[in-house]
Each structure stands twice: as structure tokens, then as C-alpha cells.
Amino acid sequence: METNEQLIALLQKEGYLKTQSVIGAFQAIDRKDFVPADLPDKAYANEALPIGEKQTISQPLVVAFMLEILGVKAGEKILEVGTGSGWKTALLASLVGKDGEIISIERIELLSERAKANLSKYGVVESGVVELVVGDGSRGYPEQAPYDKIIAAAAADKFPEVWKEQLKIGGRIVTPVGNSIFVVDKITKDSFEQKEYFGFSFVPLVKG
Ligand code: SAH
């Protein structure tokens, strides 16, 4: 895979990328801008890649799958847990547009700083669409709650219940749990609907 277009074509062919808005975000954001400089040849491979600190930039098919399920609309306010390289952050920023808001929390300060540098090409931190926070996302981020959507990039055995409280009614959580992706819809203040999609792999969600 040598170009972003080839990667997109593959993800469409395999059925991971479907809707025009998510395809448009993948076209607008070049994955190479988020891959370490010593791995440029791998930027468009459908693989997770090391970004330092024992973490990875997510596999494209996983990001495509999660963003399709998240169903982002322009203007939404979204909490992302696990900024990593900032790639998914940039895709989310593209999806919500200039009236939206992405709060992205990362526990490793060095990765958050690198993500900020990676994102600078797109001006989304400077414009105020993206706010990067260094901290423990397993407690969510109550300071800015409630959110239309919450998306996580790291897996726990069980996802933190507190995320449900920080979600608006009608909102959705998409998160890894073990080797699955869970989709949780908030129907009323205390009723939820949950679906599980099997067969993925993630780095661990670390508490504290
Ligand atoms: N979508 C990102 C993937 C990053 S990997 C990308 O494509 O680059 C998952 C990230 O979650 C790692 O950077 C890890 O440090 C972070 N993480 C793990 N547990 C966390 C927690 N409790 N709070 C915030 N970030 C966490």
C-alpha cells in the first residue's frame, strides 16, 4: 500500500469504510502525518505500528470500523480516550467540523505532545476544535461532560461505568473490551443498549 488512496480503496473493498462522511475524513487526513518518521514506508499498511512508549497507532481497519459505528455528526462534542498519535483525533475533528469539539485524553504526556505536533498540520488544536488533555481517561473527563459520543482506543476487561454518566441521552460509546468492540447507546438516564462485535486486538487501558 503506497498511498492513502490505496489504503482507503482497500478499506472500502473489505467493507470497513462505507459512508461518504467517514471516507471523506480518511481522504482529508493523511495517516503518514501520524506515523513515526522512521516508518514512512508502512504509513499506509493496514497494520498497527509502534509510536513509542509501548503504544501503537491503531490498525486502519479498526479505526474505520469504530468511526463508522460511532456515527459522528457535524457539531458534536466527543470524548476520545487514548490520543496516541492523534490520527483518530484528526479524523474525529474532520467529522465534527469547525462547530464541533473533540476532547482527547492521553495518560502519557510525551505522546500527547507528539500528537499535538502531528495535529499542527491541520490547525485543529489552534482553532479550538481539539482540546488535548494529559490524564487518566478511565475516569472520563467530567470537566467537559456531557458528550454526544465517547470513543476509546485502549481495552479493559470492563469499560468504566462513569463513561455512561458522562454521555448525553441519545449518545453512544464505542470502546474496546478485551478483544471485542462494545457499542453502548444511552436510551434514558439509566437505561442502555449494548452490542458486542468480536475479534479485534488493542493495547490495554491503564488506570491511574
Ligand atoms: N487511536 C490511537 C491509538 C492509540 S493506542 C492512534 O491511532 O494513534 C491507545 C492509547 O491509549 C495509548 O496512547 C495509551 O497510552 C492510551 N491510554 C491507555 N490507557 C489510558 C487511560 N486510562 N487514559 C488515557 N489514555 C490511555
Side-chain angles (χ1 to χ4, degrees):
M1 222 59 57
E2 276 161 25
T3 65
N4 208 40
E5 287 69 34
Q6 286 175 342
L7 173 60
I8 292 167
L10 176 80
L11 294 172
Q12 280 186 271
K13 194 175 117 218
E14 293 187 348
Y16 292 104
L17 278 179
K18 292 180 192 154
T19 58
Q20 199 44 57
S21 61
V22 183
I23 294 166
F26 268 75
Q27 285 165 340
I29 308 299
D30 190 336
R31 190 168 188 255
K32 197 171 192 164
D33 294 328
F34 299 88
V35 166
D38 58 340
L39 292 171
D41 298 346
K42 294 237 171 182
Y44 307 116
N46 194 9
E47 294 169 22
L49 300 169
I51 56 171
E53 307 293 307
K54 299 195 189 132
Q55 304 303 327
T56 55
I57 178 169
S58 306
Q59 188 181 10
L61 77 82
V62 174
V63 173
F65 184 84
M66 292 181 93
L67 290 180
E68 287 285 357
I69 292 194
L70 196 62
V72 179
K73 296 189 201 76
E76 284 187 334
K77 180 171 176 179
I78 299 180
L79 176 65
E80 179 188 36
V81 178
T83 313
S85 67
W87 178 46
K88 176 142 50 65
T89 321
L91 292 165
L92 288 166
S94 170
L95 286 166
V96 296
K98 62 176 173 29
D99 297 325
E101 219 180 326
I102 310 298
I103 292 93
S104 183
I105 184 161
E106 169 58 56
R107 53 182 288 277
I108 301 175
E109 188 169 8
L110 179 65
L111 293 183
S112 184
E113 279 166 15
R114 282 193 200 142
K116 187 176 178 193
N118 294 342
L119 287 163
S120 68
K121 180 174 174 194
Y122 298 94
V124 285
V125 176
E126 295 76 0
S127 70
V129 171
V130 171
E131 183 188 339
L132 297 177
V133 179
V134 177
D136 176 13
S138 69
R139 54 177 275 283
Y141 192 63
E143 290 86 340
Q144 294 264 20
Y147 303 99
D148 294 294
K149 308 275 161 68
I150 298 177
I151 183 165
D157 295 340
K158 211 176 159 292
F159 70 88
E161 281 292 309
V162 69
W163 291 354
K164 288 179 171 178
E165 289 161 28
Q166 294 177 20
L167 198 62
K168 291 182 192 171
I169 291 167
R172 173 171 281 189
I173 299 172
V174 177
T175 182
V177 175
N179 291 322
S180 294
I181 291 172
F182 273 59
V183 179
V184 181
D185 287 325
K186 185 162 181 169
I187 312 299
T188 67
K189 190 172 164 293
D190 25 46
S191 70
F192 297 86
E193 267 173 27
Q194 190 167 296
K195 260 196 203 153
E196 179 173 2
Y197 296 85
F198 297 92
F200 295 89
S201 89
F202 298 93
V203 301
L205 179 78
V206 181
K207 288 194 185 160

